[in-house]
Amino acid sequence: MKLFRRSTGIADSHRRLVWQSVSLLLAYPEDEADGMPCYSERLELVGGLLDDLPPSVAEPLRRCVDGLAGTDAYDAAQRYVETFDLRRRRSLFLTYWTDGDTRNRGNAMLQFADAYREAGVEPPEGELPDHLAVVLEFGATVEFKSGMALLTRYRAPLALLQDALGQMGSPYAGAVEAVLATVPEPDPEQTRLEAQRIAQEGPPSESVGLDPYSVTVPVDALAASLRTVGGSR
């Protein structure tokens, strides 16, 4: 089981593009949504960016897009629920991996909410602040350094999520693999030990039901950010 690899040779502008792309891919599949592209448009939007990204992140993203393509929103939603909502070892809520449903999880989620507020934005309504797609969108479009700090802190859960998705043959494994390629690994041994502990012990308690995620950035601003962020560093 290969969980870890170092992040090298990726510009910050590319990291932001990857994060926003994966945020779209991890959004709940639906054809009608307020302020965001429909399911098929998201796949097309991300697919159109792949040639502008380094192979280390473009290739796993392409596997994800290709694996999700050709399915209507209804069937895609069923697959999404089966993948993420009903299998606690594949949760998109980062603090669930480390804190389960204990009181400590509330404190951990507060760190995410505080990071958003310090950057001048409010946590999204109707979604927990530790949802991976929310964190990725925040880092891509609001505050890159704070987003990177949160993703780095939870790199071990991300690695376990990618491995679990890969074991079930899910296209979403490629999306999480691309994110991992953008997140530095300051101490690989510490990350390995943390992932090993989480895998062996599991979350402290059973998780509550997971609500569908909805991207919060309006579609016009989202598309504009995807077109222009590649030119920033």
Side-chain angles (χ1 to χ4, degrees):
M1 181 173 65
K2 183 178 180 181
L3 286 180
F4 311 107
R5 67 180 184 182
R6 289 184 176 275
S7 170
T8 58
I10 302 176
D12 288 348
S13 57
H14 289 150
R15 297 173 200 265
R16 294 175 65 184
L17 279 173
V18 170
W19 295 353
Q20 187 64 87
S21 296
V22 176
S23 180
L24 282 172
L25 295 174
L26 293 181
Y28 185 78
E30 51 191 336
D31 275 337
E32 295 182 4
D34 294 335
M36 69 170 295
C38 70
Y39 175 68
S40 60
E41 290 173 340
R42 294 176 220 166
L43 297 182
E44 291 179 6
L45 193 58
V46 176
L49 297 169
L50 297 179
D51 289 341
D52 297 326
L53 293 171
S56 61
V57 290
E59 291 174 5
L61 279 177
R62 193 182 306 278
R63 292 199 304 271
C64 181
V65 171
D66 290 347
L68 295 177
T71 304
D72 61 29
Y74 178 79
D75 290 338
Q78 287 189 314
R79 175 168 58 181
Y80 182 96
V81 170
E82 174 63 23
T83 300
F84 298 116
D85 292 5
L86 302 180
R87 298 291 183 268
R88 303 316 181 203
R89 292 287 183 171
R90 298 194 291 268
S91 175
L92 290 173
F93 295 90
L94 296 178
T95 63
Y96 169 78
W97 292 86
T98 55
D99 297 286
D101 277 335
T102 66
R103 292 181 181 180
N104 288 337
R105 188 181 176 196
N107 293 328
M109 284 193 290
L110 185 59
Q111 296 176 0
F112 286 81
D114 286 344
Y116 301 159
R117 293 191 176 100
E118 288 175 4
V121 296
E122 286 296 316
E125 295 183 3
E127 187 53 83
L128 297 178
D130 65 328
H131 192 290
L132 178 55
V134 174
V135 181
L136 292 170
E137 184 184 293
F138 168 73
T141 64
V142 180
E143 177 53 53
F144 174 79
K145 290 184 178 180
S146 295
M148 177 65 82
L150 292 171
L151 292 170
T152 302
R153 186 182 308 165
Y154 286 86
R155 198 182 195 286
L158 285 173
L160 289 172
L161 172 61
Q162 191 274 329
D163 183 69
L165 292 170
Q167 288 189 39
M168 72 172 292
S170 171
Y172 289 110
V176 182
E177 180 181 340
V179 173
L180 280 170
T182 69
V183 180
E185 194 174 3
D187 189 337
E189 179 62 14
Q190 181 179 348
T191 305
R192 184 188 68 80
L193 291 174
E194 182 182 0
Q196 185 179 50
R197 179 188 62 79
I198 295 172
Q200 291 176 346
E201 298 178 2
S205 64
E206 287 293 325
S207 173
V208 297
L210 310 182
D211 297 326
Y213 167 73
S214 179
V215 175
T216 58
V217 174
V219 59
D220 53 349
L222 187 59
S225 71
L226 287 170
R227 288 192 300 267
T228 62
V229 71
S232 62
R233 292 296 296 258

